């Protein structure tokens, strides 16, 4: 069999990936050998429809629930990175940062509930937690991604939401020599910059040996304009905490202008329900990304029964983000109410809330902020894989290392002006303007009034290392007394993970260490640049505003004196090491239930986890100051667990499959919660510790669905899933430390006290998440021949959860991050020369945070249209054009009601033009 599909890409083959091999371990060896021989003859040179057929075929053959995208889909879709590609999978949504996909959510659960592996090895990440930042990976070096939603006993544990399995290409995935290259230019409509992108792959086989190399490098210049940071602030800010003249004036203005009497200023149940607008900010961001990634794969395959592969994946992801803010803070430490121009007693009356929509304040804190974030991430992964089979057995083994190193250098140049002003809500956010007070200023055009406060710097280093080895043995069976039992599989895995984090901060206030000669220096004495010149692309696009401030380049040259460095703070240091030994056993059965063939995969996985965590503990000096223990303090924790799993497939007809699954799985605690460091609040008699004895968050889950296969890669599918999640982590009082001596500043003893200890714990109880997924992949030509080449790929997910948010005011709040509805629709057309796709991706609104633990902050529903088209000029040359966010959608948010907007952010359109060549 030989298939040649038009539309060349460098990564369009999905033959014999590691995941497919694992999915078919129940096959007899003879059948597996025949499949391997057949796969050798497949030649796929890139087609979106072909990639859908391959993905549907993988789904059909896999035991359990899964969805895939293959390399043609990843490399040829209008995606800026791997996260953008994954959003096309049913139940998968992404978290965007400045318009770019960064983290992945599966079925509405947080990103750290997802387990990620590359070529069977858990993926290291530069994040401070367990979640993976997908934007660090160049999509061009990835061959296939599968999201496994129902685990088998053989699958590594760690994802309540699901597991994302990434595969890179190998030489025997291709028929003979392949050399493919592509070049691309990308244009951003706001920055008006054109950025380059280059990708290359070369693969060849020589008898029993094969070698493959791939490389991709790209620069991206993204500009985002944002009116954001607007939030509710409770009137307790002025009333409950300001017992002097400011509090008295606030109470008087409330009574005079809004008719609101405050009989008891300390009654926060009343004052927290009177709301004013604390913050308004106009921001321009420039995000410059330099990314490269490469793979090397060597294979030795002397026969269809033996193969040995070595895979290496290395890369770097460096970003520099310049942020320029003009911001106003109504709730400054010097301010109070001056005049209430408009208030709203009706919109949030159900919660007893009054919102002050338009207010003049006595001393707003106006700020000009120049922020710079330099993020450098280097990652590498090296692994070997062995597959060896006989007539009735198969041996599979992998071993490898995955590592990531990340540094984040942050600086914020802060100039401040205190003056009366007026802040009010607008249709898209808020604005601060001059008030009637004669001392008021034009916050955008008063550089001499802004005084230097500090050049704030922080520096962070994260090192993440993971080592793993696994061996699996499968024995194929043919028992006459038990013909249903087809195979048994046993295996063991050892992993050793460690993550170390260091962090420090330093505020510069003068021309040298310890000096303060810059404090009070007017901003007008520094070199100022109009906002339209600080970031490429011209004027601020959100509102008709223009202002000037200090560039980050000038700030770095001027305020970082010779010998400057940001020292690490030992109180922020932690190191967590985690060793896991896992063993499993599972069996595959095949039998007929009446006329229906049934396949069952069942087993159990046992895990034994040991944790050692260390950090510095804060202690008090005899003079009343604070310091830390001279060395890190270590603590150990451990847990073990048996995780059962069951997957069932029934072929109701030749094309209709019933699928069901049930399992228990887990997600391990966040590393920051495990970190055994201690901070002290001496006046509150309280210690706050990490907790290495935390247990995982567990989930019991089941799923059932029907899949109708239409032929030509077509599919209609529906499934219902349910999860019960228990052991969610929260902060709680866990014990006391007696006989703690507390000193006064003069060295005398204040007293000997018992201190409370607060730590993260696994909360008792559980909550449920359930949902329905719908999938439709329909090539229209099989129903109506004139539509040959046209088709649709669509999916829809609806979610429900029993979990509610934690508003201290008792406001009903959905789970943070959970969107009730998500869907993707792609219309496509292709023939021998042309491919074209139009995609729409939508994520419903969701609560992204709870402000001050009181007010739900909602991110509005967001939908984006992406277009892609290609034309094959010759057999070896293809022209591509892609459009991302072609309708120039904005990201929006609000607090409790859309009439109280909190953000309006635009990242513009991106147009890509590229050439792909095959030799």
């Amino acid at each position: 069999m030989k298939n040649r599909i038009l539309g060349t890409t460098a990564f369009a083959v999905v033959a014999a990936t590691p995941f497919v091999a694992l999915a078919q371990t129940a096959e007899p060896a003879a059948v597996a050998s025949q499949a391997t021989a057949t796969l050798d003859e497949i030649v796929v040179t890139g087609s979106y429809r072909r990639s859908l057929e391959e993905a549907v075929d993988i789904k059909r053959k896999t035991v359990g629930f899964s969805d895939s995208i293959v390399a043609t889909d990843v490399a040829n879709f209008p995606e800026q990175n791997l996260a953008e590609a994954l959003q096309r999978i049913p139940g998968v949504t992404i978290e965007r940062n400045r318009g770019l996909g960064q983290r992945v959510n599966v079925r509405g659960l947080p990103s750290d509930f997802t387990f990620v592996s590359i070529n069977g090895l858990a993926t290291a990440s530069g994040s401070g937690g367990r979640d993976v930042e997908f934007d660090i990976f160049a999509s061009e070096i990835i061959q296939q991604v599968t999201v496994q939603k129902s685990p088998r006993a053989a699958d590594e544990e760690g994802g309540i939401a699901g597991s994302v399995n990434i595969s890179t290409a190998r030489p025997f995935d291709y028929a003979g020599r392949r050399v493919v290259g592509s070049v691309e230019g990308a244009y951003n409509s706001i920055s008006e910059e054109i950025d380059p992108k280059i990708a290359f792959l070369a693969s060849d086989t020589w008898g029993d040996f094969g070698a493959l190399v791939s490389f991709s490098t790209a620069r991206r210049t993204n500009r985002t304009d944002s009116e954001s940071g607007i939030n509710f602030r409770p009137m307790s800010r002025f009333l409950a905490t300001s017992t002097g003249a400011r509090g008295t004036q606030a109470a008087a203005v409330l009574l005079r202008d809004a008719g609101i009497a405050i009989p008891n200023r300390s009654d926060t149940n009343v004052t927290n329900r009177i709301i004013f607008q604390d913050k308004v900010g106009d921001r321009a961001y420039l995000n410059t990304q330099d990314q490269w990634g490469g793979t090397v794969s060597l294979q030795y395959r002397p026969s269809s029964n033996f193969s040995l592969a070595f895979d290496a994946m290395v890369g770097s992801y460096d970003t520099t983000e310049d942020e320029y803010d003009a911001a106003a803070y109504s709730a400054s430490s010097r301010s109070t109410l001056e005049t209430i121009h408009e208030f709203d007693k009706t919109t949030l009356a159900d919660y007893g809330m009054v919102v002050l929509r338009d207010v003049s304040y006595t001393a707003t804190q106006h700020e000009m902020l120049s922020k710079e974030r330099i993020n450098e991430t280097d990652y590498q992964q090296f692994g070997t894989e062995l597959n060896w089979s006989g007539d009735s057995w198969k041996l599979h083994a992998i071993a490898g290392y995955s590592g990531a190193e990340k540094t984040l250098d942050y600086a914020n140049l802060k100039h401040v002006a205190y003056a009366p002003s007026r802040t009010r809500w607008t249709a898209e956010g808020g604005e601060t303007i001059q008030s009637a007070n004669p001392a008021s200023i034009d916050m955008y055009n008063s550089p001499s009034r802004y005084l230097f406060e500090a050049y704030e710097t922080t520096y962070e280093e994260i090192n993440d290392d993971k080592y793993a080895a696994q061996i699996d043995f499968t024995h194929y069976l043919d028992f006459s007394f038990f013909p249903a039992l087809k195979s048994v599989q046993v295996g063991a895995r050892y992993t050793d993970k460690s993550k170390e984090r260091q962090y420090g901060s330093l505020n510069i206030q003068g021309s040298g260490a310890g000096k303060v000669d810059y404090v009070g220096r007017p901003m007008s004495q520094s070199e100022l640049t109009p906002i339209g010149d600080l970031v490429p692309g011209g004027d601020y696009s959100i509102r008709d505003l223009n202002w000037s401030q200090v560039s980050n380049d000038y700030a770095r040259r001027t305020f970082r004196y010779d010998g400057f460095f940001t020292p690490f703070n030992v109180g922020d240091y932690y190191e967590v090491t985690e060793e896991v030994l896992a063993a499993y056993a599972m069996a595959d059965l095949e039998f007929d239930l009446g006329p229906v063939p049934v396949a069952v995969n069942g087993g159990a996985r046992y895990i034994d986890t040991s944790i050692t965590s260390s950090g510095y503990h804060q202690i008090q000096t005899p003079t009343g100051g604070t310091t830390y223990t001279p060395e890190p303090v270590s603590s150990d924790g451990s847990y073990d667990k048996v995780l059962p799993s069951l997957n069932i497939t029934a072929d109701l007809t030749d094309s209709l499959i019933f699928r069901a699954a049930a399992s228990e799985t887990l997600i391990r605690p966040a590393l920051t919660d495990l970190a055994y460091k201690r901070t002290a609040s001496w006046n509150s008699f309280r210690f706050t510790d990490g907790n290495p004895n935390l247990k995982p968050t567990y989930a019991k889950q089941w799923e059932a669905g029907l899949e109708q296969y239409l032929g030509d890669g077509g599919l209609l599918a529906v499934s219902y899933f349910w999860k019960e999640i228990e052991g969610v982590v929260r902060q709680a009082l866990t014990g006391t430390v007696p006989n703690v001596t507390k000193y006064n500043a003069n060295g005398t003893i204040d007293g000997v006290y018992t201190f409370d200890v607060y730590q993260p714990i696994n909360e008792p109880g559980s909550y449920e998440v359930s949902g329905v997924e719908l999938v439709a992949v329909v090539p229209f030509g099989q129903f109506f021949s004139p539509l040959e080449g046209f088709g649709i790929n669509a999916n829809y997910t609806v979610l429900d959860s029993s979990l509610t948010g934690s508003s201290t005011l008792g406001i009903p709040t959905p789970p943070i991050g959970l969107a009730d509805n998500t869907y993707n629709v792609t219309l496509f057309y292709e023939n021998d020369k042309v491919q074209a796709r139009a995609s729409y991706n939508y994520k419903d609104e969701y609560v992204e945070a709870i402000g001050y633990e009181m007010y739900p902050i909602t991110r509005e529903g967001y939908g984006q249209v992406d277009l892609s088209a290609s034309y094959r000029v010759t057999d070896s040359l293809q022209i591509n054009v892609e459009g991302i966010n072609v309708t120039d959608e904005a990201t929006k948010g609000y607090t409790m009601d859309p009439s109280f907007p909190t953000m309006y952010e635009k990242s513009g359109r991106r147009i890509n033009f590229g050439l792909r060549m095959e030799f």
Side-chain angles (χ1 to χ4, degrees):
M1 181 179 77
K2 179 171 288 191
N3 295 326
R4 182 171 180 84
I5 311 296
L6 297 175
T8 303
T9 75
F11 313 98
V13 177
V14 292
T17 67
F19 184 81
V20 175
L22 286 172
Q24 297 174 338
T25 52
E27 289 185 344
V31 176
S33 299
Q34 181 181 1
T36 303
T38 302
L39 286 170
D40 286 345
E41 300 175 7
I42 295 180
V43 179
V44 182
T45 57
S47 157
Y48 175 70
R49 179 171 171 180
R50 177 60 177 167
S51 76
L52 291 179
E53 292 175 3
E54 293 285 352
V56 169
D57 190 51
I58 291 170
K59 182 179 181 72
R60 185 168 189 170
K61 292 178 180 178
T62 300
V63 177
F65 289 87
S66 71
D67 291 283
S68 301
I69 48 176
V70 296
T72 308
D73 195 1
V74 174
N76 254 6
F77 239 92
E79 316 298 2
Q80 301 175 79
N81 56 46
L82 189 56
E84 297 278 341
L86 284 170
Q87 69 177 325
R88 312 298 179 188
I89 290 180
V92 175
T93 57
I94 62 174
E95 297 176 9
R96 298 179 185 273
N97 180 30
R98 316 286 182 254
L100 297 173
Q102 186 175 49
R103 289 181 170 87
V104 168
N105 305 111
V106 178
R107 290 178 166 172
L109 295 170
S111 58
D112 55 0
F113 277 37
T114 301
F115 178 77
V116 182
S117 66
I118 297 178
N119 295 332
L121 298 173
T123 304
S125 170
S127 71
R130 295 183 185 272
D131 55 334
V132 173
E133 298 168 325
F134 282 83
D135 52 355
I136 70 174
F137 302 120
S139 60
E140 289 76 15
I141 65 176
I142 305 301
Q143 182 186 7
Q144 177 186 317
V145 183
T146 294
V147 176
Q148 186 76 8
K149 299 170 182 176
S150 62
R152 303 172 308 146
D155 299 328
E156 187 174 2
E157 74 288 344
I160 285 178
S163 297
V164 177
N165 306 303
I166 301 170
S167 301
T168 57
R170 288 178 174 167
F172 281 101
D173 295 341
Y174 296 84
R177 179 176 299 171
R178 295 288 301 279
V179 179
V180 182
S182 66
V183 294
E184 181 181 288
Y187 172 80
N188 179 263
S189 64
I190 300 183
S191 71
E192 299 181 353
E193 295 283 304
I194 297 177
D195 299 312
K197 185 177 187 180
I198 300 172
F200 171 82
L201 179 143
S203 177
D204 204 354
T205 57
W206 306 271
D208 300 338
F209 294 91
L212 177 148
V213 295
S214 70
F215 179 79
S216 173
T217 182
R219 164 163 283 210
R220 288 289 182 262
T221 306
N222 296 301
R223 174 176 165 181
T224 298
D225 288 354
S226 174
E227 183 184 359
S228 61
I230 302 155
N231 60 349
F232 275 16
R233 192 69 182 260
M235 191 53 62
S236 56
R237 166 64 175 164
F238 292 142
L239 296 175
T241 60
S242 299
T243 57
R246 291 194 302 122
T248 300
Q249 179 167 331
V253 172
L254 282 169
L255 181 61
R256 182 194 70 198
D257 295 345
I260 301 173
I262 308 294
N264 181 3
R265 290 189 206 169
S266 61
D267 185 356
T268 55
N269 188 51
V270 173
T271 59
N272 286 343
R273 296 177 190 272
I274 304 172
I275 311 302
F276 66 99
Q277 190 181 46
D278 171 31
K279 181 180 178 182
V280 171
D282 291 287
R283 297 174 167 86
Y285 299 89
L286 177 65
N287 187 285
T288 304
Q289 307 168 8
D290 289 295
Q291 179 188 65
W292 69 267
T295 66
V296 174
S297 182
L298 306 175
Q299 265 186 294
Y300 173 60
R301 196 175 72 172
S303 70
S304 59
N305 295 330
F306 182 86
S307 69
L308 180 65
F310 168 79
D311 299 302
M313 179 178 177
V314 296
S316 177
Y317 181 71
D318 300 338
T319 67
T320 297
E321 182 174 79
D322 295 299
E323 176 186 345
Y324 297 101
D325 294 5
Y329 296 82
S330 305
S332 79
S333 59
R334 305 181 186 181
S335 188
T336 191
L337 306 182
E338 189 171 73
T339 304
I340 299 171
H341 303 282
E342 181 184 353
F343 61 93
D344 181 342
K345 288 186 175 181
T346 59
T347 303
L348 301 179
D350 290 345
Y351 309 112
M353 289 187 178
V354 178
V355 182
L356 309 184
R357 285 189 173 271
D358 185 351
V359 181
S360 290
Y361 301 90
T362 59
T364 296
Q365 180 176 323
H366 304 87
E367 294 184 349
M368 288 289 177
L369 307 175
S370 301
K371 300 179 181 181
E372 181 182 45
R373 301 174 182 88
I374 301 175
N375 181 341
E376 298 179 357
T377 302
D378 296 316
Y379 65 90
Q380 54 275 322
Q381 179 168 309
F382 308 98
T384 60
E385 181 176 7
L386 168 71
N387 285 285
W388 186 18
S389 61
D391 291 338
S392 61
W393 57 273
K394 179 178 180 180
L395 181 69
H396 171 256
I398 59 173
Y401 163 80
S402 178
E405 299 176 0
K406 178 179 179 178
T407 62
L408 177 60
D409 184 354
Y410 168 80
N412 176 25
L413 175 61
K414 188 175 182 180
H415 287 88
V416 177
Y418 290 93
S421 69
R422 180 176 177 178
T423 296
R424 59 193 180 190
W425 259 282
T426 64
E428 294 175 344
E431 64 178 358
T432 297
I433 60 175
Q434 288 182 265
S435 69
N437 190 312
S440 186
I441 64 171
D442 177 358
M443 63 175 284
Y444 298 96
N445 190 31
S446 302
S448 63
R449 293 291 301 273
Y450 286 87
L451 306 181
F452 179 97
E453 183 170 287
Y455 182 65
E456 304 167 344
T457 69
T458 66
Y459 193 79
E460 181 179 32
E461 284 186 0
I462 296 173
N463 290 282
D464 188 5
D465 297 288
K466 294 181 170 68
Y467 298 87
Q470 177 170 325
I471 187 167
D472 309 281
F473 180 78
T474 304
H475 185 44
Y476 301 104
L477 303 171
D478 188 13
F479 293 139
S480 58
F481 63 90
F482 192 8
L485 183 61
K486 298 302 181 183
S487 70
V488 293
Q489 183 173 333
V490 296
R493 185 182 186 99
Y494 172 77
T495 60
D496 184 350
K497 310 173 186 178
S498 67
K499 183 164 284 194
E500 182 182 45
R501 187 241 192 186
Q502 297 193 85
Y503 177 89
S505 62
L506 180 69
N507 287 350
I508 299 172
Q509 294 187 307
S511 55
K515 294 184 178 181
V516 294
D517 49 306
Y518 288 151
V519 175
R521 169 183 168 177
M523 188 174 70
S524 56
Q525 291 185 16
S526 295
E527 179 183 288
L528 301 181
T529 305
I531 190 67
D533 296 327
L534 282 172
V535 289
D539 294 341
Y540 184 60
S541 63
I542 300 296
R543 299 199 291 158
D544 185 17
L545 291 173
N546 191 22
W547 71 93
S548 297
Q549 61 187 101
V550 181
S551 72
N552 284 319
D553 178 66
Y554 176 88
R556 178 173 283 269
R557 287 186 284 108
T558 303
F559 299 109
R560 296 200 176 201
Y561 50 79
D562 290 342
F564 158 81
F565 71 97
T566 303
F568 288 129
N569 177 15
V570 295
D572 291 308
Y573 170 87
Y574 69 78
E575 182 179 21
V576 179
T577 62
E578 185 177 78
E579 293 185 65
V580 181
L581 181 62
Y584 74 89
M586 69 181 191
D588 287 282
L589 293 84
E590 295 178 6
F591 55 90
D592 292 336
L593 194 63
V596 177
V598 177
V600 177
N601 172 272
R605 185 177 186 89
Y606 170 77
I607 58 143
D608 187 354
T609 304
S610 300
I611 296 165
T612 298
S613 175
S614 61
Y616 291 88
H617 283 206
Q618 194 174 30
I619 57 178
Q620 196 175 37
T621 66
T623 58
T626 59
T627 185
Y628 292 89
T629 53
E631 298 293 336
V633 180
S634 296
S635 182
D636 298 329
S638 64
Y639 53 87
D640 61 349
K641 183 71 172 178
V642 175
L643 303 172
S645 62
L646 178 68
N647 293 276
I648 302 172
T649 301
D651 294 332
L652 303 180
T653 69
D654 290 342
S655 59
L656 181 63
I657 293 178
F658 169 78
R659 203 182 295 272
S663 62
E664 187 169 358
T665 185
L666 60 82
I667 181 70
R668 292 188 165 85
L671 299 176
T672 51
D673 292 329
L674 293 172
Y676 193 56
K677 56 181 183 174
R678 168 174 288 179
T679 57
S681 177
W682 303 107
N683 293 326
S684 300
F685 310 106
R686 171 173 174 166
F687 291 135
T688 302
D689 294 0
N691 187 1
N693 281 298
L694 274 177
K695 301 301 184 284
T697 298
Y698 294 103
K700 297 175 182 178
Q701 56 189 24
W702 63 267
E703 185 166 0
L706 285 172
E707 299 166 2
Q708 176 69 56
Y709 292 87
L710 306 176
D712 294 332
L715 169 68
L716 298 175
V718 57
S719 64
Y720 174 84
F721 60 88
W722 175 91
K723 299 175 186 285
E724 182 184 48
I725 300 173
E726 61 179 348
V728 174
V729 176
R730 69 173 177 86
Q731 200 82 1
L733 175 66
T734 59
T736 60
V737 178
N739 302 320
V740 178
T741 301
K742 180 176 179 290
Y743 294 92
N744 296 315
N746 61 6
T748 61
I749 295 177
D750 179 84
V752 179
Y753 302 96
T754 296
F755 273 52
D756 293 331
V757 178
Y758 283 80
Q759 291 177 289
I761 66 164
N762 297 103
E763 185 173 17
S766 62
Y767 70 95
E768 298 177 2
V769 175
S770 61
V772 174
E773 284 182 357
L774 303 173
V775 179
V777 181
V778 182
F780 296 151
Q782 65 175 299
F783 301 107
F784 187 51
S785 57
L787 294 180
E788 181 64 36
F790 288 94
I792 187 172
N793 174 21
N795 60 77
Y796 173 77
T797 303
V798 57
L799 297 171
D800 186 29
S801 173
S802 65
L803 181 69
T804 58
S806 54
S807 167
T808 58
L809 295 180
I811 300 169
T813 306
I816 292 176
L818 184 66
D820 291 342
N821 300 277
T822 59
Y823 59 87
N824 301 276
V825 179
T826 297
L827 297 173
F828 63 88
Y829 170 76
E830 61 183 55
N831 59 28
D832 289 349
K833 292 286 188 181
V834 176
Q835 294 186 60
R837 299 189 295 277
S839 301
Y840 182 74
N841 171 263
Y842 180 80
K843 181 178 181 179
D844 208 352
E845 69 176 26
Y846 62 93
V847 173
E848 62 176 344
I850 301 178
Y852 300 100
E853 299 182 350
M854 291 185 277
Y855 318 112
I857 302 171
T858 299
R859 181 71 65 92
E860 289 192 25
Y862 179 84
Q864 180 172 300
V865 176
D866 302 328
L867 303 176
S868 176
S870 65
Y871 177 74
R872 174 164 290 280
V873 181
T874 68
D875 287 344
S876 48
L877 177 63
Q878 179 176 292
I879 300 174
N880 301 321
V881 179
E882 299 172 345
I884 300 167
N885 189 25
V886 294
T887 55
D888 196 18
E889 296 298 320
T891 302
K892 303 175 184 178
Y894 63 87
T895 301
M896 297 187 65
D897 186 87
S899 65
F900 306 116
T902 58
M903 71 172 301
Y904 185 88
E905 185 173 281
K906 298 192 73 172
S907 297
R909 306 176 182 89
R910 178 170 289 278
I911 307 298
N912 302 338
F913 178 82
L915 299 175
R916 297 182 183 271
M917 297 152 284
E918 179 177 3
F919 307 97

